[in-house]
Amino acid sequence: MKTQQDLEQLRKIPLLAQLTERELKDISRAVEFRKVRKGQCVLKANEAGCFMMFVLSGRLHVMLSNKNGRELALEILGPGQCFGELALLTGEPRSADIEAREESTILVMSSEAFETHVLSDNRLARAMLRELAQRLRKATLKM
């Protein structure tokens, strides 16, 4: 089991907030906490997606690069937000680059843990669908 402080950090993630203490402990054993430095690349577009992540602290910059190498900023991710789940769900490569804008702490969940804890739990699967639907709506409104 991780520390009580780790469990409290997990509880701050909207997707996981509804879980019981025992369920959070189970997830805490299946994830890895990582520190990333300002400017550090967290994910690269076109990489295989074998894990998803949650931002625990700090800010991450989501961006796309065009053929000329010019970057297009898509979003800034902050505490509680998740990313990398699309590649797990579709089996396709990552769609964007993600870089730390400041020192950050992220939580890494493997594809196995994702299937065990998120997809197999109706509450978490519905919460994930809600998250994806909200992102799609937000993207649609930007057009």
Side-chain angles (χ1 to χ4, degrees):
M1 177 181 87
K2 304 280 182 174
T3 68
Q4 190 62 35
Q5 182 180 1
D6 290 343
L7 295 179
E8 289 307 314
Q9 286 189 325
L10 292 178
R11 193 174 307 289
K12 291 178 186 176
I13 297 170
L15 185 70
L16 306 178
Q18 62 192 330
L19 298 180
T20 66
E21 185 86 5
R22 182 181 179 141
E23 291 167 325
L24 284 174
K25 286 178 183 176
D26 288 345
I27 286 180
S28 75
R29 286 189 284 272
V31 297
E32 177 187 340
F33 291 81
R34 282 191 198 161
K35 296 268 189 200
V36 292
R37 297 177 317 280
K38 179 180 180 176
Q40 183 177 342
C41 178
V42 178
L43 291 180
K44 284 297 254 179
N46 299 314
E47 288 180 335
C50 53
F51 53 85
M52 72 174 288
M53 298 181 176
F54 298 90
V55 182
L56 295 176
S57 67
R59 295 167 96 57
L60 305 177
H61 186 201
V62 182
M63 60 201 143
L64 290 175
S65 297
N66 66 16
K67 296 176 199 171
N68 302 327
R70 190 171 170 161
E71 292 180 349
L72 171 66
L74 298 179
E75 186 174 7
I76 301 294
L77 300 173
Q81 291 183 283
C82 63
F83 59 99
E85 74 288 343
L86 291 180
L88 286 183
L89 291 167
T90 65
E92 296 178 18
R94 304 279 186 206
S95 58
D97 296 327
I98 299 182
E99 181 179 285
R101 288 196 69 162
E102 58 190 51
E103 186 173 302
S104 303
T105 303
I106 56 177
L107 179 73
V108 181
M109 180 181 280
S110 70
S111 59
E112 295 83 13
F114 179 76
E115 288 186 24
T116 300
H117 297 288
V118 178
L119 296 183
S120 66
D121 183 316
N122 287 337
R123 294 168 302 156
L124 291 178
R126 276 194 299 275
M128 178 63 70
L129 285 171
R130 204 170 20 261
E131 169 73 22
L132 293 172
Q134 288 170 346
R135 286 189 200 170
L136 181 58
R137 179 181 299 262
K138 184 178 173 183
T140 302
L141 292 173
K142 284 183 178 181
M143 292 181 174

